[in-house]
């Protein structure tokens, strides 16, 4: 009941209680029974070392690089292998690099994510810029974690149509959903 014409009422964090033991109301704060999903990321960046890729070959991308993370989750090992945490998780993988354009025409490369030697995801990208220039490439995938992926992890490969030197590599794995 108020004497004001304009009244606002705000509710926040409603807690219902039954004081059947005469302990007093309200009781001491207790955390809600909500299951929070553990999300976070790990990424590695290598802006120092170059990697020479052979033409028409699945070249394994592996580098130690600088580690950044939040959430204290182990999603990448020390050589940038993707290491999922739990069955039925949903993860996002981002991989980017700079390539020094080789000589040739109709140039392209394929980027693969392999699990236990099998292609799990693949993307083909065209090399557009002129010879000797830097061209920039990136791929992103959202993936479910099945038993094979959980047991073996994932490796990234690049297969260019012509020999290619890559640099400024970056890989990020984000746990966007916790498996149930």
């Amino acid at each position: 009941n108020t004497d004001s014409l304009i009244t606002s009422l705000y509710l926040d964090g409603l807690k219902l209680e039954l004081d059947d033991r005469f302990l007093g109301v309200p009781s001491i704060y207790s955390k809600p029974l909500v299951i929070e999903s553990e999300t976070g990321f790990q990424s590695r960046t290598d802006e120092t070392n170059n990697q020479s890729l052979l033409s028409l070959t699945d070249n394994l991308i592996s580098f130690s690089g600088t580690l950044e993370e939040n959430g204290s989750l182990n999603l990448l090992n020390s050589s940038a292998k993707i290491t999922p945490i739990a069955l039925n998780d949903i993860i996002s993988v981002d991989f980017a690099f700079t390539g020094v354009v080789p000589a040739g025409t109709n140039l392209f490369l394929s980027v693969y994510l392999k699990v236990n030697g099998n292609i799990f995801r693949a993307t083909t990208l065209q090399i557009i810029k002129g010879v000797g220039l830097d061209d920039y490439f990136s791929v992103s995938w959202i993936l479910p974690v099945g038993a094979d992926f959980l047991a073996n992890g994932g490796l990234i490969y690049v297969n260019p149509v012509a020999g290619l030197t890559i640099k400024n590599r970056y890989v990020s794995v984000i746990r966007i959903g916790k498996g149930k």
Side-chain angles (χ1 to χ4, degrees):
N1 190 9
T2 181
D3 292 336
S4 300
L5 294 175
I6 300 172
T7 302
S8 298
L9 174 66
Y10 300 94
L11 294 176
D12 183 30
L14 185 62
K15 180 177 179 181
L16 301 176
E17 298 187 84
L18 173 62
D19 188 12
D20 61 351
R21 292 183 179 80
F22 307 105
L23 300 173
V25 176
S27 64
I28 297 173
Y29 173 80
S30 59
K31 188 174 180 177
L33 297 175
V34 176
I35 298 173
E36 298 178 19
S37 63
E38 294 179 25
T39 60
F41 79 92
Q42 277 194 317
S43 66
R44 289 197 178 276
T45 305
D46 186 344
E47 297 175 339
T48 306
N49 303 302
N50 295 346
Q51 183 175 353
S52 297
L53 307 181
L54 301 174
S55 65
L56 303 173
T57 303
D58 290 351
N59 298 274
L60 174 63
I61 304 301
S62 177
F63 58 96
S64 56
T66 303
L67 176 68
E68 289 188 75
E69 63 183 348
N70 81 343
S72 299
L73 303 176
N74 293 317
L75 298 163
L76 287 168
N77 74 6
S78 60
S79 62
K81 178 180 182 180
I82 301 161
T83 56
I85 296 171
L87 190 64
N88 299 323
D89 277 0
I90 304 295
I91 63 171
S92 172
V93 176
D94 296 307
F95 174 59
F97 62 93
T98 302
V100 180
V101 178
T105 58
N106 298 321
L107 299 174
F108 62 92
L109 55 87
S110 295
V111 182
Y112 305 114
L113 174 68
K114 291 186 178 184
V115 174
N116 200 18
N118 299 308
I119 296 174
F120 204 65
R121 294 290 190 273
T123 302
T124 299
L125 303 168
Q126 188 175 11
I127 301 173
I128 298 172
K129 295 189 177 179
V131 175
L133 297 176
D134 286 348
D135 209 346
Y136 307 97
F137 305 94
S138 69
V139 296
S140 296
W141 300 297
I142 294 179
L143 311 158
V145 176
D148 198 29
F149 193 10
L150 180 62
N152 298 292
L155 297 168
I156 297 174
Y157 293 83
V158 176
N159 187 333
V161 73
L164 180 71
T165 298
I166 64 172
K167 56 187 178 179
N168 301 330
R169 292 167 290 168
Y170 170 81
V171 63
S172 169
V173 180
I174 305 167
R175 186 184 198 194
I176 57 177
K178 183 178 177 183
K180 294 182 181 189

